[in-house]
């Protein structure tokens, strides 16, 4: 799906374009327009895991129409060195969607979903959260070439960290993921991505040599 076609608030193209400009910041190595497009494509792959009204073309009453797609658009809207990225992205969603006249319930749900991407650990009864988190983490199951681009892109975004600090922080993030019983929270995500993602995580951790001598930075690279 073309990322422009995925924008669910057709009349608010000015907001769409501001978000695209944020993702198109040349300082971003991975969390860019390509990443946004991949997350949107992955949500489409996971569409059957969502509550049925979100799969219909017709407009349904609030509160949650389009919540997952809007959360995808906002989930990395803020990405810089100042920290609290998910919280600030969620706050941006609250401000912008409120100004766009979206129902308060939808705004609240989008912000909740964006905040969830800080941990990628949705509750068992949270299908929207599960779909967004799985769509965001599906990069872990990429082929060798795309995974290498992903790792290099993340390193670019943390170029201000020296190598030892970066490696320690990155290894901490990967170990936290690897220790989870499941990387993915939907049945479709596990079927499509779990095994390959485990292989990639293990390979990258081995390459990092689990160097724990440096203290992970406050905002660990992910």
């Amino acid at each position: 799906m073309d990322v422009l076609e995925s924008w669910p608030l057709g009349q608010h193209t000015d907001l769409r374009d501001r978000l695209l400009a944020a993702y198109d910041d040349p300082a971003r190595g991975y969390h860019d327009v390509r990443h946004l497009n991949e997350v949107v494509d992955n949500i489409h792959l996971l569409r059957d895991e969502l509550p049925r009204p979100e799969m219909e073309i017709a407009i349904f009453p609030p509160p949650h129409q389009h919540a997952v797609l809007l959360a995808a658009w906002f989930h990395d809207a803020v990405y810089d060195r100042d920290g609290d990225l998910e919280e600030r992205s969620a706050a941006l969603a609250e401000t912008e969607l409120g100004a766009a006249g979206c129902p308060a319930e939808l705004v609240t749900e989008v912000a909740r979903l964006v905040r969830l991407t800080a941990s990628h650990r949705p509750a068992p009864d949270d299908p929207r959260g599960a779909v967004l988190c799985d769509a965001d983490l599906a990069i872990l199951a990429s082929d060798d070439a795309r995974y290498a681009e992903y790792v290099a892109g993340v390193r670019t975004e943390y170029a201000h960290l020296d190598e030892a600090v970066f490696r320690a922080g990155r290894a901490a993030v990967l170990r936290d993921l690897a220790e989870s019983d499941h990387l993915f929270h939907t049945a479709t995500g596990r079927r499509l991505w779990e095994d390959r993602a485990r292989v990639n995580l293990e390979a990258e951790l081995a390459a990092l040599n689990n160097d724990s001598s440096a203290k992970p930075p406050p905002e660990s690279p992910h």
Side-chain angles (χ1 to χ4, degrees):
M1 178 186 296
D2 181 85
V3 70
L4 292 177
E5 295 176 2
S6 75
W7 176 243
L9 302 179
Q11 71 274 32
H12 294 289
T13 55
D14 55 336
L15 173 55
R16 177 202 67 191
D17 292 345
R18 290 198 301 277
L19 290 171
L20 282 175
Y23 282 95
D24 204 33
D25 183 346
R28 296 189 181 212
Y30 167 64
H31 296 88
D32 54 10
V33 174
R34 183 181 184 185
H35 169 61
L36 174 60
N37 203 104
E38 288 172 339
V39 172
V40 167
D41 284 346
N42 293 333
I43 289 171
H44 182 70
L45 289 174
L46 299 170
R47 62 193 180 277
D48 290 339
E49 303 280 355
L50 287 168
R52 292 309 307 167
E54 294 191 24
M55 293 300 95
E56 303 293 341
I57 296 175
I59 296 177
F60 282 78
H64 302 314
Q65 177 70 6
H66 303 312
V68 176
L69 273 178
L70 281 170
W73 273 82
F74 277 97
H75 82 287
D76 286 325
V78 177
Y79 208 90
D80 56 28
R81 300 181 186 181
D82 294 336
D84 294 325
L85 302 178
E86 292 83 7
E87 177 58 36
R88 290 162 60 211
S89 293
L92 179 66
E94 290 169 333
T95 299
E96 292 283 9
L97 294 177
C102 293
E105 298 92 342
L106 175 61
V107 176
T108 297
E109 177 68 353
V110 171
R112 181 190 73 83
L113 290 169
V114 171
R115 291 184 173 103
L116 190 58
T117 61
S119 67
H120 294 102
R121 287 191 169 90
D125 60 347
D126 183 8
R128 293 182 183 88
V131 165
L132 180 62
C133 290
D134 282 11
D136 194 26
L137 289 183
I139 187 67
L140 298 176
S142 298
D143 61 28
D144 290 345
R146 179 60 179 133
Y147 196 85
E149 291 173 344
Y150 155 60
V151 172
V154 172
R155 184 66 184 102
T156 296
E157 292 173 342
Y158 287 87
H160 57 288
L161 299 179
D162 68 39
E163 187 66 14
V165 172
F166 174 80
R167 290 165 74 88
R170 178 68 179 169
V173 168
L174 298 182
R175 282 195 298 269
D176 183 62
L177 287 169
E179 289 168 1
S180 301
D181 291 337
H182 296 286
L183 294 169
F184 299 98
H185 302 274
T186 65
T188 304
R190 290 173 188 170
R191 175 175 55 82
L192 292 175
W193 301 315
E194 184 82 23
D195 291 346
R196 175 67 189 187
R198 293 281 179 188
V199 170
N200 285 338
L201 283 182
E202 291 174 7
E204 188 182 355
L205 276 168
L208 289 168
N209 294 319
N210 288 325
D211 182 5
S212 59
S213 60
K215 182 180 179 181
E219 293 293 329
S220 295
H222 64 285

